[in-house]
């Protein structure tokens, strides 16, 4: 299994986003947290900023939409030509239709689950997804502590993905650091979002390499 690291620009300097992207050019993609102050109690950025990030980023964009009415808004992010668009299951009325719409518009389709949302109701739609995001903190803010209570869900998701034969990445987001990434990898995650653990240190590029090495070694165990 190949492990990918997606730094989250939520922990970057929002006044210098182009320069902040250049610092993580060794990453596999950049994770862009879109928050609307409705689905989560925080506000970040929207379509015009994502469009500019897409224009200047050295790596593909992985948009994590923490927004209400995903059915309406997520396709507009796919229309920007970004590599991957992830909506929250709790914010979508018709997740299968939405995932198909994202793929039809050329993006990979991701679906996210809050920590207390069970994966089981969605197992029959795995083949509609390119990525399943298991949130490992309550969405809304960077710098929170990893919730170990989500590990069994990651394991169940991994077993279901492997059993289904579908090619679905399992992403974890929240509290991922050198201290926690191995636990998530051992449970079966293969795409790791890290905000503060990458942008909170002097050398984000080195942090990406270190995290990837730890995850890769843990996944092989
Ligand atoms: C939280 C966001 C995360 C956040 C992770 O709602 O979805 O992507 O940036 O930040 P850290 O890695 O600091 O927990
Ligand atoms: Zn995120």
């Amino acid at each position: 299994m190949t492990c990918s690291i997606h730094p989250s620009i939520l922990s970057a300097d929002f006044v210098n986003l182009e320069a902040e992207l250049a610092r993580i050019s060794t990453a596999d993609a950049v994770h862009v947290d879109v928050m609307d102050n409705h689905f989560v109690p925080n506000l970040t950025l929207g379509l015009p900023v994502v469009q500019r990030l897409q224009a200047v980023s050295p790596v593909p964009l992985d948009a994590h939409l923490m927004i209400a009415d995903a059915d309406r808004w997520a396709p507009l992010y796919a229309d920007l030509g970004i590599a991957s668009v992830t909506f929250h299951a709790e914010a979508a009325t018709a997740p299968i239709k939405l995932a198909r719409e994202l793929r039809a518009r050329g993006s990979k389709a991701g679906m996210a689950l809050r920590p207390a949302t069970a994966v089981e109701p969605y197992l029959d739609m795995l083949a509609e997804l390119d990525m399943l995001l298991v949130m490992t903190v309550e969405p809304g803010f960077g710098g929170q502590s990893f919730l170990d209570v989500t590990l069994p869900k990651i394991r169940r998701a991994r077993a279901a993905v492997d059993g289904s034969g579908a090619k679905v990445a399992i992403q974890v987001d929240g509290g991922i650091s050198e201290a926690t990434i191995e636990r998530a990898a051992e449970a079966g995650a293969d795409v790791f979002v890290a905000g503060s653990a990458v942008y909170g240190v002097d050398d984000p590029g080195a942090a990406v390499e270190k995290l990837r090495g730890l995850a890769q070694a843990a996944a092989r165990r």
Side-chain angles (χ1 to χ4, degrees):
M1 196 153 63
T2 312
C3 293
S4 305
I5 307 295
H6 295 192
S8 165
I9 51 159
L10 188 59
S11 296
D13 177 359
F14 271 35
V15 176
N16 296 297
L17 287 175
E18 186 171 7
E20 292 285 69
L21 287 171
R23 296 171 80 204
I24 51 128
S25 58
T26 56
D28 301 282
V30 59
H31 183 84
V32 179
D33 287 305
V34 177
M35 304 186 190
D36 66 352
N37 197 33
H38 291 275
F39 182 70
V40 288
N42 195 6
L43 185 67
T44 55
L45 44 81
L47 283 163
V49 177
V50 175
Q51 185 169 26
R52 288 298 298 142
L53 292 170
Q54 161 75 2
V56 302
S57 178
V59 293
L61 260 60
D62 153 31
H64 175 196
L65 305 182
M66 285 160 277
I67 59 177
D69 201 357
D71 306 75
R72 174 184 172 198
W73 290 104
L76 303 182
Y77 286 85
D79 283 344
L80 296 179
I82 63 183
S84 174
V85 175
T86 297
F87 62 88
H88 265 267
E90 306 88 350
T93 305
I96 295 172
K97 177 168 177 276
L98 180 53
R100 289 183 180 182
E101 209 171 330
L102 296 176
R103 283 176 163 180
R105 292 175 189 226
S107 284
K108 288 187 172 171
M111 190 176 74
L113 305 174
R114 300 181 76 126
T117 302
V119 69
E120 281 71 20
Y122 301 99
L123 293 182
D124 287 342
M125 66 171 285
L126 282 178
E128 308 287 342
L129 300 173
D130 298 291
M131 188 161 76
L132 180 70
L133 165 50
V134 177
M135 287 302 300
T136 44
V137 298
E138 284 297 343
F141 300 93
Q144 303 181 75
S145 298
F146 182 83
L147 293 173
D148 282 281
V149 70
T150 61
L151 287 169
K153 179 162 58 176
I154 298 168
R155 281 191 207 101
R156 293 197 302 274
R158 169 51 61 198
V161 166
D162 289 351
S164 76
K167 206 172 158 291
V168 188
I170 299 181
Q171 185 178 58
V172 285
D173 179 11
I176 298 295
S177 68
E178 287 180 21
T180 59
I181 194 165
E182 291 162 296
R183 300 211 283 280
E186 277 162 6
D190 56 355
V191 180
F192 305 83
V193 176
S196 43
V198 170
Y199 277 112
V201 300
D202 287 343
D203 188 345
V208 167
E209 303 288 358
K210 179 85 195 286
L211 289 169
R212 195 191 282 117
L214 287 170
Q216 205 75 62
R220 269 190 231 112
R221 286 201 278 272

